[in-house]
Amino acid sequence: MADPRAGEQEDPLRSWRVLREPYYVDPGGQVEAFEAACAAGSPVLLKGPTGCGKTRLVESMAWRLGRPLVTVACNEDLTASDLVGRWMIDGQGMRWRDGPLALAARFGAICYLDEIAEARADALVVMHPLADTRRALVLGARNELLAAHADFLLVASYNPQHAGGTQALKASTRQRFCAIACEYPPPELETDIVSREGGVDRALAARMVELARRTRALGLAADTALEEGASTRMLVRAAQLVREGLPPRRACLHALVEPLGDDSEVLGALRTAAELAF
Amino acid sequence: MADPRAGEQEDPLRSWRVLREPYYVDPGGQVEAFEAACAAGSPVLLKGPTGCGKTRLVESMAWRLGRPLVTVACNEDLTASDLVGRWMIDGQGMRWRDGPLALAARFGAICYLDEIAEARADALVVMHPLADTRRALVLGARNELLAAHADFLLVASYNPQHAGGTQALKASTRQRFCAIACEYPPPELETDIVSREGGVDRALAARMVELARRTRALGLAADTALEEGASTRMLVRAAQLVREGLPPRRACLHALVEPLGDDSEVLGALRTAAELAF
Amino acid sequence: MADPRAGEQEDPLRSWRVLREPYYVDPGGQVEAFEAACAAGSPVLLKGPTGCGKTRLVESMAWRLGRPLVTVACNEDLTASDLVGRWMIDGQGMRWRDGPLALAARFGAICYLDEIAEARADALVVMHPLADTRRALVLGARNELLAAHADFLLVASYNPQHAGGTQALKASTRQRFCAIACEYPPPELETDIVSREGGVDRALAARMVELARRTRALGLAADTALEEGASTRMLVRAAQLVREGLPPRRACLHALVEPLGDDSEVLGALRTAAELAF
Amino acid sequence: MADPRAGEQEDPLRSWRVLREPYYVDPGGQVEAFEAACAAGSPVLLKGPTGCGKTRLVESMAWRLGRPLVTVACNEDLTASDLVGRWMIDGQGMRWRDGPLALAARFGAICYLDEIAEARADALVVMHPLADTRRALVLGARNELLAAHADFLLVASYNPQHAGGTQALKASTRQRFCAIACEYPPPELETDIVSREGGVDRALAARMVELARRTRALGLAADTALEEGASTRMLVRAAQLVREGLPPRRACLHALVEPLGDDSEVLGALRTAAELAF
Amino acid sequence: MADPRAGEQEDPLRSWRVLREPYYVDPGGQVEAFEAACAAGSPVLLKGPTGCGKTRLVESMAWRLGRPLVTVACNEDLTASDLVGRWMIDGQGMRWRDGPLALAARFGAICYLDEIAEARADALVVMHPLADTRRALVLGARNELLAAHADFLLVASYNPQHAGGTQALKASTRQRFCAIACEYPPPELETDIVSREGGVDRALAARMVELARRTRALGLAADTALEEGASTRMLVRAAQLVREGLPPRRACLHALVEPLGDDSEVLGALRTAAELAF
Amino acid sequence: MADPRAGEQEDPLRSWRVLREPYYVDPGGQVEAFEAACAAGSPVLLKGPTGCGKTRLVESMAWRLGRPLVTVACNEDLTASDLVGRWMIDGQGMRWRDGPLALAARFGAICYLDEIAEARADALVVMHPLADTRRALVLGARNELLAAHADFLLVASYNPQHAGGTQALKASTRQRFCAIACEYPPPELETDIVSREGGVDRALAARMVELARRTRALGLAADTALEEGASTRMLVRAAQLVREGLPPRRACLHALVEPLGDDSEVLGALRTAAELAF
C-alpha cells in the first residue's frame, strides 16, 4: 500500500494558499470570536444569509493565521468518501488519494465546508471524531486513524433561513461547533463596501444600499413569495454595472431585482421600488 | 499526475468556436446589459420562454466577443463531476479530463448552461466559487483550485414559467448572476424574423404571428391545460413547411398546434383558431 | 483519442438499412406532411394509439427516402449517455463508442425514438441542440460538438393517451418538433389491412374490425377500467390465429379480448361482445 | 469486435434443452391455442394464479416443439441490459455476452419471461420490436439489429390477481401478445394430479382438494386478509408430506395453511377448516 | 469460461460445516415436520418471534442431517446477484464466483435465508425455480441452468410480527415453502434452557422467565409502544450477567428491559416490573 | 484466494490502539455493567444524549481492557460491505480487504459502532450472527464464515431522543445487546469535569452548568423548537473560550446558545438566559 505522501515532493496544499490579503472589515467581534474558538481547538460554524460576507471572513482568517484554505462546496452528492478520500486505480494497482478533509487534517490547513446544510446530514457524520477532543479522522477504507495536524481547523458556513426545513443539521453535528452569527453589515459600513468594491461614489452607493434594505424587509415578511432580499454581493454587482456604463436604474434591475425571483407580483413590486429609487 | 494540457497541441476549444455570425436582432437593450455584465466580470442569467431567442443572443454575443461557446445541455443526470471533470482510465493509468466548466475556465471561453433549472440545484453548487469574486473552480478530485482565465464568462438560461415549482434555483445560485429578462419579440420584429428565416412573404408571416400570439394569450390564462403558447421558433418552422409546399392551414396545424399539447379540448380550440386564420 | 471512424471500414449503419419496402397505406396526408417537415429540416413527432401504424409509417418513409433507420426503444433507464455514446475500456485503453443518436447524426440516418414519452424527460434534453437550427450534438464526454450530417432526421413517436400524466414531454422538447396526429385507419382501409396481412377474407375481416371498434368505444368511455381498445396490430393477430386453424370466436378471445386487461367486469363485457359477434 | 459465436463451438443452448417429457394434462384447449399463436409467430402470454400449472404448460410445449427453453425469472432489478446482453471485460479487452433474450432470438429457442409483471414495465420495452412484425432485437450497445431466428418464440406468464396494481403491464406490451387464461384444474383432474404427483390415494387427494378449494373461496372474498388460496403445487406438497409419514392434518397445516399468511384471524379459520377436514 | 470448480481442490463448503452438536430441545413436533419436508424435497419456512430458537433448530437439523449450513443474513441490499453469483475480474480476465445459493445448490448444502422478510421481495424471485419441482437455479449471467444437488435444501426464517407490513413475502414465494410455526418454549422448558445456558439455578431462572413472560404479554397488547417482549435469548443473557456478578435486578435491567425500547412510559413500567420481581 | 494476513507483517490494529488513559469518571455503575456484559460475551449498547460521555466510556473501557478500539462512524451510506470487507483490484488481480467489523473480529478488538441508529437498519443485519451465540461473521463475498477472536467485543451507541422515529433500530438488532442507559453527569460531577477539562475555576463552571441545565429543561418541554439542550461537551467548549480570553457571556453565546438551533424565538429565550446568567 503506497504511502500517501510518496512521490508528492511538492507542497500538497500549494494551490490552497491565500496569496493576497482579502478586503474584510469586521462588523463587530467576529474576528475575536473566531480566534478564541481556533485557540480552543474548536470547529467554527458561521451562520448567516447568502452574500453577507461569511466566505470573506474565512479567507481573511486564513490570511491572518497563515494557513492554507481547503474549500469544499457542499452539495447533496457529496459522500463521506469525497471528504475522506478513496482508492484510485493506477498502472501499478490502487493508490490512495486523500479527500479535502483528510488533506487538511494530515498537512495542517483550514478545511472550509461551504454551505454545509446542502450536504446530506449523514455524510457529515464522518467528521465527528475530527470535531471533538479526539481530533482524528477515521479512514475506514485504509483501516487508518489519522490524527489531525496541530494547524488543522474545521470551519463551516450555512444560511439558517434555508436550512430550517428538512436539510437541518443534526444536533450531534451542530453541537460540535462554536457558532458565530453573521448579518449584513450595518448601513454605513455596507455603503463603504459597495462604494469601494463597486467603484461608485458614496451617495449612489447609499441609495443602492437603501433599496437593498427595502428588499430585505420584503423578504422577511412571511406572506410574500420572496425568499430572501438583495445581498451585499448583489449590491457590489449593481455598482459595477454602473461603473461599466449602465444607468443606475437598469443596473439595479439586472443586479438587484431580476435575480431575486420569478413571481410576477413580487417582481412588479421590486421593479417599482427600483424605479422610485432612481 | 499528468498535466491536463500535455499531448493536446491542438486548440482544445476548436469545435466550440462560432464560425459564422448568427442572425440576431436585439429587441431592446439586451446586448448592452450583457456587455456591461461581462465587463463587470459577472455571470449572466437569461430568463424567458422556450424558443424566444435566448440561445441566439448567447451565440451572437460569443461572435461579437470573439470567444468560444462551450454549451452544456442541463438535465437531472448532470453531476458536479460532469461539469468539473473526472479521472479516466488509460493504458498508462488514470488521466484527468476537464469537464466543460473547467475547460472554459482554464482556456477562456463562455460556458453556457442551457436550461439551468433542469439541473439538480445541488450539482450547480460547484460553480459558486467561479461565480463570485473568487473566480476559481474547486477541482476536488485533483485537489486543485483552478483560477479562471480572464476571458471566462458564465452564462445560463432558463424558462421561469417552468422553474417556478420544485426545480427552482437556489437563492445562493441566483444571487450570483446578473439577470436579463427575455420576451418574444414585438410583433413587427417577429414578423420580420419569421419572413426572413422561414422564407415566406411578410403578409403571411404577419398572419402566422397573429395566430401564435393568440395561443400565447391562451397559455397565460390560468385555467387552461395549455402550458405555453407557440414560440418564435415554431413560427419559423410553420413558415418553412409552407415554403416546402404545405398549405398554410396544414403547416400551422403541424408546426403551431399539434406540438402544443394532447388535451383534446385545448387542441380543438387551437385547431379552430388555425382554421379561422387561414 | 481514437477517431471514432478508425478501424471501421465496414458501413457503420449496415444493419439499420431497410431492405424491403414495408406495406403501408397512407390514410390521408401523413406522407406529405412527413416529407415537408423533412425538407424543412424539422424533427417529426408522431402522436397516436398503440398499434395504429406509426412505426410502419417511419419504416415506409425510411424506404422512400433511402436512409437507414436507427431505432431506439425509449425506456426509463435510458440515459443521455446511452443516446450520445460513451468511453469503453479496451486492450489499448479507452475507446469512444457513438450512441444511436450520435451514430445517426454523424453518418446520416433517421434516428427513431420509439415511445419517446417512456424516456425520462431530462435524458431527452441532450437532443435539443440537434432539434433546432444548430443541428449539432454536444458530446460532452469528448468535449466535441458534432455537426449533424445533411441526411440526419430525428423522428419520435408516442401515445398521447398514456403520456398525459407524469411522463408528459417537456414543452421545450415538444416545441422542437413538427407533430403529425395518427389514428386507426378508417374501417374500409383497416378491413383491407386485416384481410391482407392476416390472410382472411374481407367479410370475416370486416366483422373483426367491427368488434375492435366496439372495444375502442369502450376504451374511450371514462368510467371503465379499460385503458385502450384493440389495435390494428391485434386485429391482424386475430386473423392470423384463424388462418392457423382456430375458430374466429376463440381467435378473438385470445388476440382481441384477453390481452386488453385483467378487470373481471371489463373482461366479461368483452367476452360477451366477442361471443355475440361470432 | 469479437463475433459472439467465436470460441463457442459447443451448443450455446445446451443447458436449456428439456430432456424429459413433463407431466402435463391439458384442462381444455390451452395447447391448441398455444400452437396456433406459435404458428402465427405471435408471442404468448399466460395469465393465471400462482401454482396452477403455467410453467408446466410452457415446459410441455417446449418438449412438444423440440425447442430449448430459456427461462428468465423476472424481478424489479432486471434491466434491459440483463435481457439483451452487455460488454464484459476480458484479458483481451471487451467481449460481448448475449443476454437470454438475445440468446434465444439468435439461436432459436423459447424465451420464457416468468412472472413478467414483476419486471419494471420500462425494462420490457426492449422486447417490443421482437414482439411485432419486425421480429428483431435492438442491441443498442453493439449498434446491431438482430433478426430473430425462425424458431424463436416469446412466452410470458403472470398472475393477474397481483398485477392489478402499480405493477400492471403497459398496454403497449400486453397488446403485442396473444393471451391464454389459465385456472386451477377442475376437481377431478386436480385430484388425479395430487394423487399421481404426491403419491397418495385418490380418496385422500380428493379431501385435500376439497380443503384447498375452500381456501380459494376465502381468498376471493374481498374482506379477508387472505391474498390467495392454496394452489395445486401446495396440494402436491401436502400429499408428499403424508407420503413421508406426517398425519394428513399436520401435513395440511404445514403445506396448505401456514404458508398462506400471518394474519391470526385468517390462520385461525384455516386451521379450523383443516382440523374439520381430517 | 473457466469451470467454477477449477483450482478449488479444497472443500468449498468447509467453513460452513457444523462441527459440534448444538444444544436444542424440540418443544414438540418441529423436528418431525422439518424431516418430512426435507424428505419430500420441499423448502422449509420457519415463522416465529426474534430469539425463540429458529436458528438453533436449523443448526440442529444441519447436524442431524450431516449437511453444511450456508447462512445468508438477508437485508434490503441483497441483490439477486449476491445470491446467485457474479463475474469477478482477475489477472486473466473474468472469473465466475458462485453466490451462497449457487454454492449450496451445486455442492449439496442447506442454504439458510435468515430473516427472509428483510430481503426485497423481488430479489428472492431468483430462487423460485429452485423451490419448486424444477429444483434448478438460473445463472443468468452465465447462461447456465444449474440442477440442484440431491442434498440441497432451502430453509428460510422470519418474524411474522414484523413482516406484516410492506415487507411481506410475495404469495408466489411463500407458497413454495412448507411452513413451521415456532414459539417461545413453554415455561418449564424455557427455565431449563435459561438455567443450563445462562449458568444460574432453576429458581432464579424461573423468576426471570416469569418476568420475560410479563413483557411478552405487554408486547401483544395493541396500544403499547412495545414492539415485542423479551426473548429466550435475552433471558440467557440476563442469567449470564448474574453469573458474571451483577445482582439479578440490575442484570434484568440491562439485559431484559433497556434493550426493549426507548419510550419512557414503557421503560418505566418495565423497570417497575423488574424491581418488583427481584 | 490470497490470505488476508499475507504481506501484513505489521500489527493490523496498530492505529486503533488507545495509547493514553482517557479522563473518565464513572457517574455510577456503568463500568461495572460494561465489564459484566463483556465477561458474558454480550455486545454492549450505550443509550444517551449527544455529548454526555458515551464515547469516553468506550475509550476508557478499551484502555482498561487493553484492547484496540476500531471505531465506525455510522451513517446512511454505510453498507454491509463497508462493515464486512470487499474485493479490491490490484496489479495481480483482486485482493480481499477486511472491513472494520471483520478486522476487529479476526484479530480481537472492540468494534465501536458510533451512532448506530444513523445506519440503515438493514445494513446492520450482517452483524447479527456476531452478536449471538454463534459469534461468527458471514463474509458472503468470500464464502467464508469467520469465527470471532476471543477478545472481540461489539459496542454500539445511539441517542434515543433522535432514534425514536423512522430510524429506530430493529427489535432483532436491539435484542442482541445488553443496554446501558447514559445521562449527563450529576451537577457536582459535571462542574468538576467542566472545570478540569475547560480550565476555569469551579465557581464559573458551576454557573455554566446551571445555564446548560436550564437549556436541557427547555429541550425536554415538548412544545419548543429546541431539539436538545447543551451537552457536557458544549460546556467544556464554553469554558475553553473563556480560558482563551472571551468574556463568559460571549463564550456562552458562541458555545452554548448559537449551536443549539436557528428558531428565532428559541434563540431569543436562550440569549436572554445567557445574559441573565452572566
Side-chain angles (χ1 to χ4, degrees), chain B residues 25-138:
Chain B
V25 189
D26 187 354
Q30 293 180 354
V31 168
E32 191 187 13
F34 198 111
E35 284 174 339
C38 178
S42 166
V44 177
L45 181 66
L46 305 177
K47 302 164 52 171
T50 299
C52 78
K54 299 186 296 297
T55 295
R56 277 290 170 89
L57 169 55
V58 182
E59 289 175 325
S60 174
M61 291 309 303
W63 168 262
R64 282 165 200 249
L65 296 167
R67 300 191 195 167
L69 176 61
V70 177
T71 297
V72 178
C74 293
N75 60 74
E76 221 180 310
D77 278 350
L78 197 82
T79 64
S81 304
D82 290 333
L83 288 169
V84 165
R86 56 168 55 89
W87 291 98
M88 301 190 78
I89 303 173
D90 198 301
Q92 276 76 41
M94 296 184 87
R95 209 165 59 91
W96 175 259
R97 171 174 285 276
D98 276 341
L101 198 56
L103 189 76
R106 199 184 292 279
F107 298 105
I110 296 175
C111 183
Y112 176 40
L113 303 174
D114 195 9
E115 312 200 33
I116 191 175
E118 300 296 335
R120 283 177 304 115
D122 61 274
L124 298 174
V125 171
V126 292
M127 57 87 163
H128 283 189
L130 259 183
D132 55 34
T133 52
R134 289 175 280 178
R135 278 182 71 86
L137 183 63
V138 179

Side-chain angles (χ1 to χ4, degrees), chain E residues 21-33:
Chain E
E21 179 170 8
Y23 170 69
Y24 179 74
V25 189
D26 187 353
Q30 293 179 356
V31 168
E32 190 187 14

Side-chain angles (χ1 to χ4, degrees), chain D residues 13 16-17 62 66-71 100-112 135 148-155:
Chain D
L13 293 171
W16 301 104
R17 300 201 178 273
R67 300 190 194 168
L69 176 62
V70 177
T71 297
L101 198 55
L103 190 76
R106 198 184 293 279
F107 298 104
I110 296 176
C111 183
Y112 176 40
R135 278 182 70 86
H149 189 284
D151 282 351
F152 171 72
L153 176 65
L154 185 64
V155 182

Side-chain angles (χ1 to χ4, degrees), chain E residues 104-161:
Chain E
R106 197 183 294 278
F107 298 105
I110 296 176
C111 183
Y112 176 39
L113 302 174
D114 195 9
E115 312 201 34
I116 190 174
E118 301 296 335
R120 283 178 305 113
D122 61 275
L124 298 172
V125 171
V126 291
M127 58 88 163
H128 283 188
L130 259 182
D132 56 33
T133 52
R134 289 176 279 179
R135 279 182 70 84
L137 182 62
V138 179
L139 307 183
R142 279 173 69 87
N143 285 331
E144 179 191 348
L145 191 76
L146 169 64
H149 189 284
D151 282 350
F152 170 72
L153 176 65
L154 185 64
V155 181
S157 73
Y158 78 109
N159 183 342
Q161 280 173 261

Side-chain angles (χ1 to χ4, degrees), chain D residues 74-255:
Chain D
C74 294
N75 61 75
E76 221 180 310
D77 279 348
L78 196 83
T79 63
S81 303
D82 289 333
L83 289 169
V84 165
R86 56 168 54 89
W87 291 98
M88 301 191 77
I89 304 173
D90 198 300
Q92 276 75 42
M94 297 182 86
R95 208 166 60 91
W96 175 258
R97 172 173 283 277
D98 275 341
L101 198 55
L103 190 76
R106 198 184 293 279
F107 298 104
I110 296 176
C111 183
Y112 176 40
L113 302 175
D114 196 9
E115 312 201 35
I116 190 174
E118 301 296 335
R120 283 178 304 113
D122 60 275
L124 298 173
V125 171
V126 292
M127 59 87 164
H128 283 188
L130 260 182
D132 56 32
T133 53
R134 288 176 280 179
R135 278 182 70 86
L137 182 63
V138 178
L139 307 184
R142 279 173 68 86
N143 286 330
E144 178 191 348
L145 191 77
L146 168 64
H149 189 284
D151 282 351
F152 171 72
L153 176 65
L154 185 64
V155 182
S157 72
Y158 78 110
N159 183 343
Q161 281 172 260
H162 295 168
T166 55
Q167 285 181 304
L169 293 172
K170 285 177 193 290
S172 56
T173 300
R174 304 175 67 100
Q175 299 200 359
R176 280 171 158 84
F177 286 87
C178 285
I180 301 175
C182 300
E183 289 299 331
Y184 298 120
E188 281 299 298
L189 177 53
E190 194 165 34
T191 302
D192 283 350
I193 293 169
V194 172
S195 167
R196 184 188 188 285
E197 298 250 301
V200 298
D201 60 51
R202 284 201 95 252
L204 179 58
R207 285 163 69 198
M208 286 174 156
V209 166
E210 178 54 28
L211 175 60
R213 294 176 66 85
R214 249 177 262 142
T215 68
R216 291 170 197 165
L218 219 64
L220 289 177
D223 55 341
T224 58
L226 186 64
E227 207 182 337
E228 212 163 292
S231 63
T232 311
R233 182 195 292 129
M234 290 167 83
L235 278 166
V236 171
R237 280 268 156 76
Q240 288 169 333
L241 290 188
V242 172
R243 195 187 59 197
E244 298 300 333
L246 282 195
R249 182 189 284 187
R250 288 196 54 210
C252 287
L253 275 176
H254 291 306

Side-chain angles (χ1 to χ4, degrees), chain F:
Chain F
M1 216 177 300
D3 184 281
R5 259 157 284 183
E8 307 217 29
Q9 287 85 355
E10 49 162 333
D11 173 6
L13 293 171
R14 190 184 41 169
S15 67
W16 301 104
R17 301 201 177 274
V18 180
L19 302 178
R20 263 173 312 192
E21 179 170 9
Y23 169 69
Y24 179 74
V25 189
D26 186 353
Q30 292 179 356
V31 167
E32 190 187 13
F34 197 110
E35 285 174 338
C38 178
S42 167
V44 177
L45 181 65
L46 305 177
K47 301 164 53 172
T50 298
C52 77
K54 301 185 296 294
T55 295
R56 277 289 170 90
L57 170 55
V58 183
E59 288 176 326
S60 173
M61 292 308 303
W63 169 261
R64 282 164 200 247
L65 297 166
R67 301 191 194 167
L69 176 62
V70 177
T71 297
V72 179
C74 293
N75 60 73
E76 222 179 309
D77 278 350
L78 197 83
T79 64
S81 303
D82 290 333
L83 289 169
V84 165
R86 56 167 56 88
W87 291 98
M88 301 190 77
I89 303 173
D90 198 300
Q92 277 75 42
M94 297 182 87
R95 209 165 59 89
W96 175 260
R97 169 173 284 276
D98 275 341
L101 198 56
L103 190 76
R106 198 184 293 277
F107 298 105
I110 297 176
C111 183
Y112 176 39
L113 302 175
D114 195 9
E115 313 200 32
I116 190 174
E118 301 295 336
R120 283 177 304 113
D122 61 274
L124 298 173
V125 172
V126 291
M127 57 89 162
H128 283 188
L130 260 182
D132 56 33
T133 53
R134 289 176 279 179
R135 278 183 69 86
L137 182 63
V138 179
L139 307 184
R142 280 172 69 86
N143 284 331
E144 179 190 350
L145 190 76
L146 169 63
H149 189 284
D151 283 349
F152 171 71
L153 176 65
L154 185 64
V155 182
S157 73
Y158 78 110
N159 183 343
Q161 279 173 261
H162 295 169
T166 56
Q167 284 181 304
L169 293 172
K170 283 177 195 289
S172 56
T173 299
R174 304 175 67 100
Q175 299 201 358
R176 280 172 158 83
F177 287 87
C178 285
I180 302 175
C182 301
E183 288 300 332
Y184 298 119
E188 281 300 299
L189 176 54
E190 194 165 35
T191 302
D192 283 351
I193 293 171
V194 171
S195 166
R196 184 189 188 284
E197 298 251 301
V200 298
D201 60 51
R202 282 200 96 252
L204 179 58
R207 284 162 72 198
M208 285 173 156
V209 167
E210 178 55 28
L211 174 60
R213 292 175 68 83
R214 247 177 264 143
T215 68
R216 291 170 196 165
L218 218 64
L220 288 178
D223 55 341
T224 58
L226 186 64
E227 208 181 336
E228 213 163 290
S231 63
T232 311
R233 181 195 293 129
M234 290 166 82
L235 278 165
V236 172
R237 280 269 157 75
Q240 288 168 333
L241 290 188
V242 172
R243 196 188 58 196
E244 298 300 334
L246 281 196
R249 181 188 285 187
R250 287 194 56 208
C252 288
L253 275 177
H254 291 307
L256 294 187
V257 170
E258 292 288 347
L260 284 181
D262 299 318
D263 182 86
S264 55
E265 272 188 55
V266 169
L267 278 183
L270 292 172
R271 282 179 193 133
T272 306
E275 281 159 17
L276 291 174
F278 295 98

Side-chain angles (χ1 to χ4, degrees), chain D residues 3-25:
Chain D
D3 184 282
R5 259 157 285 182
E8 306 216 31
Q9 286 85 357
E10 47 161 335
D11 173 6
L13 293 171
R14 192 182 41 167
S15 68
W16 301 104
R17 300 201 178 273
V18 180
L19 301 178
R20 263 173 313 193
E21 179 170 7
Y23 170 70
Y24 180 75
V25 190

